[in-house]
Amino acid sequence: FECVVKGRINYIQMVLGRSNEVYRKLAYRLTEVMGIPNIDFKKSHEELATFVIDNLIESAQGTGFILDQIGLITNHHVAEGIDSTNDSCLEIYRYFERDRKRKAHFTYSNRAKDIAIFKPNIQDFEKIPTFKIGDDSKLKRGDIVKVVGFPGHAPGGELFMSTGNIVSK
């Protein structure tokens, strides 16, 4: 019976996606009934896919996320002073896993565009959800956008999420 239920829940995941709320609720309930509750199923896609990044060289901190087919994205000002020789000076972790540091290797940085890209260590980022590349040509004034990050993050802090509207393009 357990295998049948798991199979049906996995089918829902295959059709609707791993970040779908219905799938996540059913998967959490199954792990709970099995006596091994997996609280990751209670977390949002944003919570699972967004990282705190501490730059130990410049004492800077910011937010990062995995962009599908690109890598770990953050701001240049967060990764200031980091290159391929010292990328181990970045501490990358999810706010609820502060003791689990992940590694990523420097790929690209551009001060003018305020962007830095790192190649995630495959073992450290296995099963981490990604954000998909969107099509900004379809965005228009009035569309709702979500802002996600860790402004002024401190131990015990949580992910900040807010929504807003596009007012200009």
Side-chain angles (χ1 to χ4, degrees), residues 73-80 109-116:
I73 309 294
T74 190
N75 297 98
H76 172 81
H77 69 267
V78 172
E80 184 86 43
S109 188
N110 185 307
R111 178 188 303 266
K113 294 180 180 178
D114 197 23
I115 189 170

Side-chain angles (χ1 to χ4, degrees), residues 59-78:
S59 297
Q61 185 183 75
T63 303
F65 58 93
I66 304 292
L67 186 59
D68 199 27
Q69 301 175 16
I70 303 293
L72 177 71
I73 309 294
T74 190
N75 297 98
H76 172 81
H77 69 267
V78 172

Side-chain angles (χ1 to χ4, degrees), residues 25-83:
K25 282 181 183 178
L26 291 171
Y28 176 73
R29 184 68 183 122
L30 177 64
T31 63
E32 195 176 45
V33 167
M34 293 170 58
I36 48 168
N38 182 345
I39 61 166
D40 281 356
F41 285 120
K42 292 189 112 179
K43 295 185 182 336
S44 69
H45 181 265
E46 291 83 5
E47 287 177 290
L48 294 171
T50 308
F51 297 87
V52 177
I53 300 179
D54 291 330
N55 180 335
L56 303 178
I57 292 177
E58 296 291 327
S59 297
Q61 185 183 75
T63 303
F65 58 93
I66 304 292
L67 186 59
D68 199 27
Q69 301 175 16
I70 303 293
L72 177 71
I73 309 294
T74 190
N75 297 98
H76 172 81
H77 69 267
V78 172
E80 184 86 43
I82 300 293
D83 59 31

Side-chain angles (χ1 to χ4, degrees), residues 23 39 79 89 117 156:
Y23 162 72
I39 61 166
C89 293
I117 302 173

Side-chain angles (χ1 to χ4, degrees), residues 1 4 27 34 37 39 48 69 116 118 124 131 134 139-140 145 151 167:
F1 179 74
V4 170
M34 293 170 58
I39 61 166
L48 294 171
Q69 301 175 16
F118 294 82
D124 285 342
F131 287 97
L139 294 174
K140 59 189 181 308
V145 294
V167 295

Side-chain angles (χ1 to χ4, degrees), residues 109-156:
S109 188
N110 185 307
R111 178 188 303 266
K113 294 180 180 178
D114 197 23
I115 189 170
I117 302 173
F118 294 82
K119 181 180 181 188
N121 181 337
I122 293 171
Q123 293 83 9
D124 285 342
F125 289 86
E126 189 175 41
K127 297 185 181 176
I128 298 290
T130 63
F131 287 97
K132 305 289 183 219
I133 297 173
D135 180 1
D136 65 347
S137 69
K138 295 179 182 176
L139 294 174
K140 59 189 181 308
R141 287 178 43 194
D143 282 352
I144 297 173
V145 294
K146 188 182 290 188
V147 178
V148 179
F150 297 99
H153 182 71

